[in-house]
Amino acid sequence: MSGSSQEPERHTHDVRLLPSAAAAWLGMWLASSGQSVALVAAGAIALVVAAIAIGRKSVPAALACVVLVGSVLVGGLRAHALSTGPVAQLAAEKAVVVLVLQVTTEPSRLQSRMGWGDQVRLRGDVLQIDGRGHAWAMQQAVTVEASGDRVESWASTKVGATVKLSGRLSTADVADGVAALVRPLTPPENVSDPQWWLEAVGRVREGLREAAAGLPVDQRALVPALTLGDTSQVTAAMTDQFRATGLTHLMAVSGANLALLLSFVMLVARRSGVRGRWLSLVGVVTVVVFVALCRAEPSVVRSAAMGVVALAAVGREAGSGGGLRLVSVAVIGLCFMDPWLSRSWGFGLSVAACVGIVWWGRRWAEALGRWLPGWLAEAVAVPMAAQVATQPLVTALSGQVSVVGVPANAMAGPFVGPATVLGFAAAGVAWLVPWLGSVLAWGAGWAAEPILLIAEYGSSLPGATIRWPASGFALVLVVAGSVAIGWLAPWVLRRWWLVLPVAVLMVVALLRAPYHVGWPPTSWQVVACDVGQGDATVVEVAAGQAILVDTGPDPVALVACLDQLGVEAIPLLVLTHYHADHAGGLEALLGSRPVGRVVVSPMASPAATARAIAAELAERGIPVSVAVPGQEFTVGGARWETIAADAEVGAGVDSGESSAENNSSIVGRVSVPGMSVLVTGDIEPEGQAAVLAAGGDVRATVLKVPHHGSSRQDPDFLAATGAKLALVEVGLNNTYGHPAAKTLRTLEGLGMQIVRTDLQGAVAISTATGGWQITTLR
């Protein structure tokens, strides 16, 4: 192995099928949109590829042209059938129908828009539909979203069961791969139970949860997630920690995860003397068991295919350069099997991870193998290559670069195989021999404990992540950086004396908050942190201390912002209301720095969130004040005044529970020398009018624009503030259309200067001679 890095022929790659794989992906992506213009674009691209094939007499280009045309035809026909069938037609009429439905995915609990109210979502295939006096038999996919008093009954629905229900249809985007959205009006009525093997899988999954029940809370949640992709017990804090450290793929059914599992199983089998066809049989059985226990959903099949490809590519096929050929064949086959995979971020991440493993994994393992045992070199190199390859897509999704991701994956890699294998063993025996399942689950839990520690401590490091814009140019820079790391890595990894100083430099970088030239400014009074689609407004009251209004939805971004500003303590925290985009970062805040007092909205809704926050604050002994008009707090050089906080205004709104909670938002003013800031939460027109009607004095020099600049504003309220500066705290490319163009025009018409966190990043404001000093992160 020591000389392998000097033999370039061993690392050549067969790229002849890459154009065909790209053509299949592009063709299905265009065709599955259901848009005519996409089909025209596909035709134009096919003509260009055909011209290249003819002009250069290129077989790969000719094959790519054929695959492109075929994918457009297949994808277009399937999209047409989905959008013109009886389900789609009834959905366009918002019909109430009776359905016979076979459940195809695990029910997932989620919080609905802006964190209020539980929902259950699942997918199923419509087998029969009765509506508008007609009945049809078919097999078309739909999404079911249950809420209210129907949540519990739908949450207990089993995969593979056939159920009957009454529901209202609404239209769905063909690009989502479903014919309609179904909102049930009745609980599911069981027509038939799942097939025997699905029932057995269900018992195995439940057996693993029971076997892990005696483990510490985080281990109890991670073992089923790591083993079977069962995230039902994973907390929001764990999700944030794993996202920040680039370890999220370990809690999902991913190709990279299966590759790590297979690598470990095959290594143990080889060490046990298994050879030849028996070794291949071990691999096949492992994949079959993996797919079955993970419920054989399309995403699982996709992950299994990519995982097998990745393992084969770094194994037997690596020397022949056939790894990329295998990846290409898998992409083509999967796209034709399910055209909508071409639109899945999960599919993109799986493919990127496999390409990274194929292109870099073996080379990096050989480099590390010069001074590390072979098994350890491979365990470190494979997840590290996958992390680097997927970073551009992760950045596009999250708007951040995980600095800690590469070392975290390298350190976690050796523990993934043992924890997963022990978890699978526990799942297999727990329902037959419970005590043995508990013993194996205990082993899996403690094998997974290092992964939990890596995620917990890695995410808490000041430099763990860097906020990064998801613009085209910025993503090109991330791609260039990933390619540069891939190119330099073998040269560094084969020299332990270079790896050591690089590791030290990385540790130093992680221990410091990311530095941005000119940020933060030397003198600032108010900062709107860029926490995505949410609010977090910081007002300096003394050196290292600040009033914080709301905590935003992203704990990592909030803590990073406070670290950059040098804020070490929060004497006063105001939570304008309990929606996740305003209170989601609270747990991380409380764990990172002391909080003196919390002011909360008088409307304790959503009730579950309000109870959880109250319990957390009580446990930590932090005093809580319910906001009332006229309430004042003086902290250092700043003064907080509650102008409005009326639960009855929220309760009287007819436009829905979310609007009621929005209108219960605390409206308050923070005054510092030379400036005052009016914070408004998500208050809507009804609440804004009520504040004015009650004689509230809303004058301020800076207005935190209500509800992220949504279109629902009272112009009289905005005008009454007399503000000179409008601060819009909003997420980039959010799905709500915030800020609304209408609102921006109103603010401009009132003479306000507008600053926005989505376009300018974090915004710092201070008074200066003759006006404002505004500093932005971007």
Side-chain angles (χ1 to χ4, degrees):
M1 185 176 291
S2 61
S4 62
S5 59
Q6 299 174 3
E7 299 176 9
E9 67 275 11
R10 291 193 61 190
H11 299 299
T12 57
H13 297 284
D14 184 353
V15 299
R16 288 173 295 177
L17 281 180
L18 278 182
S20 295
W25 200 331
L26 176 62
M28 290 300 182
W29 187 86
L30 291 169
S32 62
S33 69
Q35 301 294 322
S36 302
V37 65
L39 298 179
V40 173
I45 295 170
L47 289 175
V48 172
V49 175
I52 293 173
I54 294 171
R56 297 192 175 184
K57 297 181 179 179
S58 169
V59 173
L63 182 59
C65 184
V66 172
V67 171
L68 178 61
V69 172
S71 62
V72 169
L73 287 174
V74 171
L77 287 172
R78 291 186 63 175
H80 178 74
L82 199 64
S83 61
T84 59
V87 177
Q89 292 175 2
L90 290 168
E93 301 173 11
K94 299 189 181 301
V96 173
V97 298
V98 175
L99 300 169
V100 176
L101 181 86
Q102 185 173 51
V103 179
T104 57
T105 66
E106 188 90 18
S108 59
R109 280 185 180 269
L110 63 154
Q111 285 189 315
S112 63
R113 182 178 177 269
M114 293 304 187
W116 60 275
D118 282 343
Q119 280 187 324
V120 166
R121 179 180 296 165
L122 57 85
R123 280 199 179 191
D125 288 335
V126 175
L127 305 180
Q128 182 179 322
I129 184 169
D130 292 277
R132 297 289 197 260
H134 299 278
W136 296 267
M138 68 192 69
Q139 186 170 354
Q140 285 195 333
V142 295
T143 296
V144 178
E145 286 188 357
S147 59
D149 57 4
R150 290 173 288 278
V151 165
E152 295 304 326
S153 60
W154 281 95
S156 59
T157 306
K158 296 180 180 179
V159 174
T162 301
V163 298
K164 186 176 182 180
L165 69 142
S166 173
R168 184 179 296 277
L169 301 182
S170 59
T171 56
D173 191 341
V174 175
D176 292 334
V178 293
L181 176 66
V182 182
R183 290 189 169 85
L185 301 175
T186 61
E189 177 187 337
N190 192 56
V191 174
S192 64
D193 293 327
Q195 296 178 350
W196 68 267
W197 69 272
L198 283 173
E199 288 275 22
V201 166
R203 287 196 296 271
V204 169
R205 292 169 68 93
E206 183 59 34
L208 178 59
R209 285 193 288 267
E210 292 176 357
L215 296 175
V217 174
D218 286 350
Q219 291 183 18
R220 185 193 315 157
L222 181 58
V223 168
L226 192 67
T227 306
L228 305 174
D230 179 0
T231 59
S232 59
Q233 301 177 82
V234 172
T235 64
M238 280 182 64
T239 300
D240 293 331
Q241 291 168 359
F242 275 67
R243 183 186 299 118
T245 49
L247 297 173
T248 306
H249 64 90
L250 298 181
M251 295 197 299
V253 181
S254 68
N257 203 14
L258 176 59
L260 291 172
L261 170 64
L262 274 172
S263 178
F264 181 82
V265 170
M266 301 293 270
L267 175 65
V268 172
R270 282 195 295 268
R271 291 290 176 89
S272 302
V274 180
R275 295 290 185 272
R277 293 180 179 177
W278 291 106
L279 186 62
S280 299
L281 181 62
V282 169
V284 170
V285 169
T286 301
V287 173
V288 170
V289 171
F290 175 87
V291 171
L293 291 180
C294 295
R295 290 271 170 73
E297 297 175 7
S299 62
V300 176
V301 176
R302 172 257 298 169
S303 298
M306 301 312 297
V308 171
V309 164
L311 185 67
V314 296
R316 185 177 299 176
E317 291 289 335
S320 64
L324 286 181
R325 182 172 62 246
L326 289 174
V327 173
S328 299
V329 170
V331 168
I332 294 169
L334 288 169
C335 283
F336 273 86
M337 181 183 75
D338 183 359
W340 285 274
L341 279 178
S342 63
R343 294 181 164 272
S344 165
W345 282 100
F347 182 61
L349 289 167
S350 279
V351 173
C354 287
V355 170
I357 292 170
V358 168
W359 198 271
W360 293 321
R362 186 176 180 86
R363 191 178 309 177
W364 292 7
E366 289 177 352
L368 284 169
R370 286 174 171 260
W371 54 279
L372 284 179
W375 67 269
L376 182 58
E378 186 172 317
V380 170
V382 168
M384 196 162 61
Q387 168 65 20
V388 173
T390 55
Q391 186 60 65
L393 290 178
V394 171
T395 301
L397 272 169
S398 65
Q400 63 185 25
V401 173
S402 176
V403 180
V404 76
V406 171
N409 274 273
M411 289 187 291
F415 303 102
V416 174
T420 307
V421 170
L422 286 169
F424 265 109
V429 304
W431 63 295
L432 293 172
V433 188
W435 69 265
L436 181 57
S438 296
V439 171
L440 292 169
W442 180 88
W446 287 104
E449 180 64 19
I451 302 173
L452 288 165
L453 294 175
I454 291 166
E456 179 182 355
Y457 289 107
S459 63
S460 67
L461 294 172
T465 60
I466 298 175
R467 299 289 292 178
W468 196 269
S471 62
F473 178 72
L475 291 177
V476 168
L477 291 180
V478 177
V479 171
S482 298
V483 171
I485 291 173
W487 181 64
L488 290 171
W491 186 78
V492 173
L493 294 176
R494 71 170 61 98
R495 298 168 173 86
W496 69 266
W497 50 270
L498 276 179
V499 172
L500 186 59
V502 168
V504 171
L505 286 174
M506 185 160 285
V507 169
V508 171
L510 290 170
L511 291 175
R512 294 179 57 86
Y515 176 74
H516 300 272
V517 177
W519 184 267
T522 54
S523 175
W524 61 271
Q525 292 173 285
V526 177
V527 169
C529 293
D530 179 12
V531 291
Q533 181 67 9
D535 288 359
T537 309
V538 187
V539 181
E540 187 178 40
V541 298
Q545 299 186 33
I547 293 174
L548 177 63
V549 182
D550 289 332
T551 65
D554 187 339
V556 174
L558 173 69
V559 172
C561 180
L562 295 175
D563 287 342
Q564 290 173 342
L565 297 174
V567 175
E568 299 174 353
I570 306 293
L572 180 64
L573 168 65
V574 179
L575 297 178
T576 59
H577 59 303
Y578 288 101
H579 283 177
D581 57 329
H582 293 257
L586 177 61
E587 185 176 355
L589 173 71
L590 297 177
S592 67
R593 48 196 29 89
V595 174
R597 176 176 293 275
V598 180
V599 178
V600 298
S601 167
M603 187 175 187
S605 179
T609 303
R611 284 195 300 269
I613 289 176
E616 180 74 16
L617 296 175
E619 182 179 345
R620 294 177 180 268
I622 299 173
V624 176
S625 299
V626 177
V628 293
Q631 180 182 57
E632 293 187 7
F633 296 97
T634 299
V635 186
R639 181 169 61 91
W640 165 269
E641 179 187 359
T642 302
I643 297 171
D646 194 344
E648 292 184 4
V649 171
V653 175
D654 296 329
S655 53
E657 183 181 0
S658 184
S659 287
E661 292 160 349
N662 286 343
N663 279 302
S664 71
S665 293
I666 299 171
V667 177
R669 180 169 45 234
V670 189
S671 301
V672 294
M675 185 193 318
S676 59
V677 182
L678 186 74
V679 292
T680 56
D682 283 349
I683 195 166
E684 296 185 0
E686 301 85 358
Q688 295 171 20
V691 172
L692 296 182
D697 180 5
V698 295
R699 291 174 296 176
T701 46
V702 178
L703 167 66
K704 200 294 295 182
V705 180
H707 203 182
H708 320 293
S710 79
S711 61
R712 290 178 52 76
Q713 308 289 340
D714 182 348
D716 292 338
F717 178 85
L718 301 179
T721 67
K724 302 300 181 185
L725 185 67
L727 180 59
V728 185
E729 301 187 32
V730 63
L732 182 66
N733 298 327
N734 66 85
T735 58
Y736 306 107
H738 299 162
K742 170 186 172 184
T743 299
L744 296 178
R745 286 194 299 268
T746 300
L747 296 170
E748 289 171 347
L750 293 170
M752 298 186 200
Q753 179 182 350
I754 300 171
V755 287
R756 299 167 49 174
T757 57
D758 60 336
L759 301 181
Q760 296 162 288
V763 177
I765 308 167
S766 59
T767 54
T769 304
W772 305 101
Q773 178 178 325
I774 299 174
T775 307
T776 62
L777 186 53
R778 295 179 195 157

